[in-house]
Amino acid sequence: MPEPHLVLRPFVAPEHRWSPGHRGVDLAMTEGGAVSAPDDGVVHFAGTVVDRPVLSLRHAGGVLSSMEPVSTELRAGDVVQRGQAVGVLEPGHGCTASCVHLGARIDGEYVSPLMMLGLGRASVLLPTRHDEVQG
């Protein structure tokens, strides 16, 4: 995905695994443009899911990314490098403009893929209550 990354639709985590949400981000791209690997990895899946081409990459740390609608000549097991052209954006995701949908999971749980692109930051858990300091 060429920089800068214009996010057309952000990640919206579902309340529960079965709840509605937007399990990824839609990034503006030109139809027919080259899609690049968000990080070093290995092709996990390259093929059609329902009616659109999908490419999934396995990365270090239990991260699995997916991109659609992306056609590719890569096959499962192929090694890719961050920024390497891995496919071509096809029509069909249903954005208001041409876009690629980028999703990410860590150990099966959906997370925002923006960190892979250097656009997000790690979540920090803050305390929900403050204990009074006795002095």
Side-chain angles (χ1 to χ4, degrees):
M1 282 127 311
E3 294 185 30
H5 303 289
L6 175 60
V7 177
L8 298 177
R9 187 172 174 200
F11 173 79
V12 178
E15 184 177 351
H16 305 284
R17 284 186 170 177
W18 59 87
S19 299
H22 190 241
R23 293 165 171 83
V25 294
D26 293 340
L27 303 172
M29 272 197 68
T30 303
E31 195 174 295
V35 176
S36 55
D39 205 351
D40 295 347
V42 175
V43 175
H44 176 72
F45 173 82
T48 302
V49 176
V50 183
D51 63 350
R52 60 180 69 143
V54 175
L55 174 63
S56 294
L57 306 174
R58 184 163 304 283
H59 309 279
V63 177
L64 184 70
S65 67
S66 61
M67 296 162 276
E68 65 173 90
V70 175
S71 62
T72 186
E73 293 184 12
L74 296 173
R75 301 287 176 243
D78 289 346
V79 175
V80 299
Q81 302 297 314
R82 179 184 183 96
Q84 173 186 335
V86 293
V88 174
L89 181 66
E90 300 292 338
H93 185 60
C95 297
T96 56
S98 181
C99 73
V100 62
H101 178 83
L102 174 64
R105 290 182 285 164
I106 297 178
D107 298 326
E109 296 292 325
Y110 284 95
V111 297
S112 174
L114 291 180
M115 287 182 27
M116 298 179 78
L117 303 176
L119 296 176
R121 58 188 180 96
S123 297
V124 177
L125 296 177
L126 299 174
T128 58
R129 62 186 171 89
H130 299 281
D131 293 331
E132 293 183 10
V133 178
Q134 305 273 331

